[in-house]
Amino acid sequence: MEKELEQLKRWISESSNIVFFGGAGVSTESGIPDFRSVDGLYNMQYDYPPETIISHSFYQRNPEEFYRFYKNKMLFPDAKPNAAHLALSRLERQGKLKAVITQNIDGLHQAAGSREVMELHGSVHRNYCTRCRQAYDLEAIMKPDGVPRCICGGIIKPDVVLYEEGLDQATLQKSVRYISQAEVLIVGGTSLTVYPAAGLVDYYRGTKLVLINRDVTAIDSRANLVISGKIGEILGQIVD
Ligand code: NAD
């Protein structure tokens, strides 16, 4: 482990073209559960599996139940950035990291000070009326009981990509550009099972693919450096 950390430290110190690609595991040390770990959302008991509830068709069919789950299980307004978010933001300020590409919807990279953040799956902080397009903040979703409504009467929907919905093409293309041009690609806190996001790793053309994850993933054998463990602890230790 010591050897791997030294290697990553060296690659980071030598590069000014690092890109980070991450997922829910980046925020577990902030107290937000991921989807697939043993203590994650998929292992809790609900009437429906999470990917059914947070799908477009379920949202349309049953907005009350969608919002009950979404408000209880997906919103963490008091969560704070952890050592991983802070380390990535420091690397950007030092001119080393070009972009953070995230599958997360929690806004914690921006809260840590990162500026170039590609939110592949949207953000809980942006919400809009499906009838008149009026924008709303997170509080407008949290506060009322049941389905949140606009002053015009329309339903307020989070700007979050639900299952069955497409990703924003401009964000996806920009992410592909960053990854294909990166010298060092650090992938962390993601099971790499949600597509098309997981496929982004295939655009990397360099020889410094770093994987920092608690569990094994499909790209362990392809990565040039694999570090097993908690990403906040790891990045917090090696980024000054
Ligand atoms: P996932 O739940 O499928 O996988 C999480 C991965 O992170 C696992 O492999 C786990 O071993 C690893 N992990 C957990 N904690 C870690 C830590 N501290 N350090 C290192 N690794 C850690 O998550 P995913 O791949 O991002 O895909 C799930 C989908 O869930 C995404 O589309 C995302 O939008 C959504 N999601 C987002 C949040 C959030 O915004 N914080 C939370 C839950 C789910």
Side-chain angles (χ1 to χ4, degrees), residues 16 30 56 71 81 118 126 149 160 177 192 194 196 213 221:
S16 54
S30 294
H56 184 79
K71 288 184 201 181
M118 309 293 114
R126 292 187 301 269
R149 296 228 171 233
V160 162
R177 215 173 319 126
L192 293 167
V194 177
N213 214 57
S221 55

Side-chain angles (χ1 to χ4, degrees), residues 133-147:
R133 312 303 289 179
Q134 169 72 42
Y136 285 93
D137 61 12
L138 179 56
E139 216 184 317
I141 292 272
M142 305 255 340
K143 246 190 342 206
D145 281 343
V147 178

Side-chain angles (χ1 to χ4, degrees), residues 24-237:
V26 175
S27 294
T28 54
E29 287 162 84
S30 294
I32 303 180
D34 62 12
F35 274 2
R36 288 176 189 78
S37 299
V38 275
D39 50 349
L41 276 180
Y42 279 22
N43 292 301
M44 297 178 180
Q45 293 303 308
Y46 289 98
D47 292 348
Y48 308 90
E51 68 262 69
T52 302
I53 305 181
I54 49 177
S55 69
H56 184 79
S57 47
F58 191 92
Y59 161 80
Q60 287 202 304
R61 257 197 336 270
N62 198 344
E64 289 80 14
E65 187 62 13
F66 169 87
Y67 272 110
R68 202 170 65 83
F69 180 87
Y70 181 77
K71 288 184 201 181
N72 281 335
K73 295 294 161 199
M74 298 194 63
L75 298 182
F76 297 86
D78 300 326
K80 301 276 182 295
N82 63 50
H85 301 103
L86 294 169
L88 292 165
S89 145
R90 277 205 298 282
L91 287 177
E92 185 184 36
R93 275 203 306 281
Q94 293 165 5
K96 302 194 136 302
L97 184 111
K98 296 275 190 217
V100 167
I101 300 165
T102 183
Q103 299 166 81
N104 293 348
I105 55 176
D106 55 33
L108 289 183
H109 286 293
Q110 289 92 334
S114 285
R115 283 181 301 246
E116 189 66 351
V117 183
M118 309 293 114
E119 292 177 311
L120 293 168
H121 295 157
S123 171
V124 298
H125 295 284
R126 292 187 301 269
N127 304 279
Y128 62 91
C129 171
T130 48
R131 189 186 291 170
C132 74
R133 312 303 289 179
Q134 169 72 42
Y136 285 93
D137 61 12
L138 179 56
E139 216 184 317
I141 292 272
M142 305 255 340
K143 246 190 342 206
D145 281 343
V147 178
R149 296 228 171 233
C150 178
I151 37 173
C152 81
I155 295 183
I156 305 174
K157 183 177 184 288
D159 185 10
V160 162
V161 180
L162 304 179
Y163 285 93
E164 302 161 357
E165 291 179 343
L167 273 59
D168 177 69
Q169 285 305 304
T171 308
L172 200 54
Q173 277 163 20
K174 231 171 145 187
S175 304
V176 166
R177 215 173 319 126
Y178 274 122
I179 288 181
S180 59
Q181 292 171 0
E183 183 191 7
V184 179
L185 177 64
I186 305 177
V187 177
T190 172
S191 63
L192 293 167
T193 51
V194 177
Y195 280 82
L200 282 173
V201 179
D202 297 340
Y203 289 94
Y204 179 62
R205 293 185 293 212
T207 54
K208 292 172 181 165
L209 174 58
V210 182
L211 179 69
I212 307 174
N213 214 57
R214 232 172 42 189
D215 299 312
V216 173
T217 75
I219 66 156
D220 280 44
S221 55
R222 253 167 64 196
N224 303 101
L225 183 60
V226 178
I227 304 178
S228 304
K230 291 187 173 180
I231 191 160
E233 287 178 7
I234 290 161
L235 289 181
Q237 261 182 67

